[in-house]
Amino acid sequence: MSETPRPQGTADVAPPVRPQHRCGRATAHSTGAAMEMGPGTPHRSDGRPPHTPRDERHADRPGGPGTIPPVPGPSASPARSALLPALSAVLFALITWQVAGHGPLRALDERVGRAAAGSGFPRAAAGFLADLGNASVAVPLLVAAALWAVLRRGRPWSHALAAALAMAAVPTLVVPLKALIDRPGPPAMGAGPHDGFFPSGHAATAAVAYGAALLLLTRSRRALAGCVLLNAAVGVGLVRCGYHWPLDVLGSWCLAAAVLWCLGRALGALTRGTRARGGRRPRASRAQAPPGR
């Protein structure tokens, strides 16, 4: 049986045919696809929409970037998250032991406090910074931040209540410690009866109020750095004006760090509970409703 001979002219002038992709392949990269969709863009040869390749899926890692569907994983391990309150408690215990027992750290602290009170830092500026720790200044700012977070940011009222409880914890912790340790104040406060100066109520009020406002409104690093600098300025003002010794301020910061850590954990638990109940999603429900209704 003989084959029909093909004309040589047709074989010579026939345009080359590009090889076609096999239908069995899920994804491929080609020069034409790279020109149309961008370099390195995956596409399917059978015309179906692209999907994540199976070798890039990581369903065995909960909370990872490749999880399908994506779910938020824990931000930090429990041991790492508990490091801050543990260090604060240890440092506060060390400071309290030195202050109450008239240790060498207390003697050094009083020398530094006297030198800072007699420094050339402007007294008027120091007084302004110290006044930022007054309850009449810090508490209204926290109330305004809580109202803004609830009314403008959509935070639940339970978050504002948690911040209020954190603020109420300041006098609950500071007042008994002042009476128990009964540390005399700097020379600028004068002699006579007093309620104790360790730890500083002004420093603790400023740290908790401004820190709670930060937790309610934003978690940015710039805002955190600004909050730290603001509290450091309040501490400098208190020491320069002779209202407190440096260790009074440092001890209050240790207490405030533990209180703010508890507040952060409480806000996280409240947020997870709200999401689990499926609450506070009115915008999504309205977006899914038919346009005629």
Side-chain angles (χ1 to χ4, degrees), residues 12-96:
D12 294 336
V13 300
V17 180
R18 296 180 58 186
Q20 301 294 328
H21 296 289
R22 291 181 296 175
C23 297
R25 297 189 62 181
T27 60
H29 296 275
S30 64
T31 306
M35 296 175 61
E36 297 177 2
M37 304 176 61
T41 305
H43 68 281
R44 300 185 66 97
S45 57
D46 53 2
R48 290 184 292 174
H51 297 282
T52 305
R54 293 185 180 273
D55 57 348
E56 294 183 9
R57 299 180 184 178
H58 304 282
D60 57 340
R61 297 193 315 174
T67 309
I68 303 176
V71 293
S75 58
S77 61
R80 183 180 300 179
S81 63
L83 184 61
L84 175 62
L87 291 177
S88 301
V90 171
L91 184 58
F92 180 78
L94 175 62
I95 295 173
T96 305

Side-chain angles (χ1 to χ4, degrees), residues 72-73 149-150 153-160 162 215-217 219 262-281:
V150 172
R153 297 292 184 88
R155 290 291 191 97
W157 283 102
S158 57
H159 287 201
L215 290 176
L216 290 174
L217 295 178
R219 301 293 178 90
C262 295
L263 175 61
R265 301 285 290 184
L267 294 179
L270 291 173
T271 302
R272 289 190 296 270
T274 302
R275 291 177 179 175
R277 292 190 299 269
R280 299 189 68 84
R281 294 182 180 177

Side-chain angles (χ1 to χ4, degrees), residues 179-274:
L180 178 63
I181 299 175
D182 195 22
R183 183 186 188 183
M189 300 305 297
H194 47 74
D195 296 329
F197 287 82
F198 178 86
S200 170
H202 285 72
T205 299
V208 173
Y210 301 143
L214 179 69
L215 290 176
L216 290 174
L217 295 178
T218 181
R219 301 293 178 90
S220 67
R221 294 184 178 180
R222 292 183 178 180
L224 176 60
C227 183
V228 171
L229 291 177
L230 178 60
N231 282 279
V234 172
V236 169
L238 291 172
V239 176
R240 169 63 182 88
C241 292
Y243 298 153
H244 282 284
W245 303 108
L247 285 183
D248 301 344
V249 176
L250 185 57
S252 296
W253 287 345
C254 294
L255 289 178
V259 172
L260 290 175
W261 179 85
C262 295
L263 175 61
R265 301 285 290 184
L267 294 179
L270 291 173
T271 302
R272 289 190 296 270
T274 302

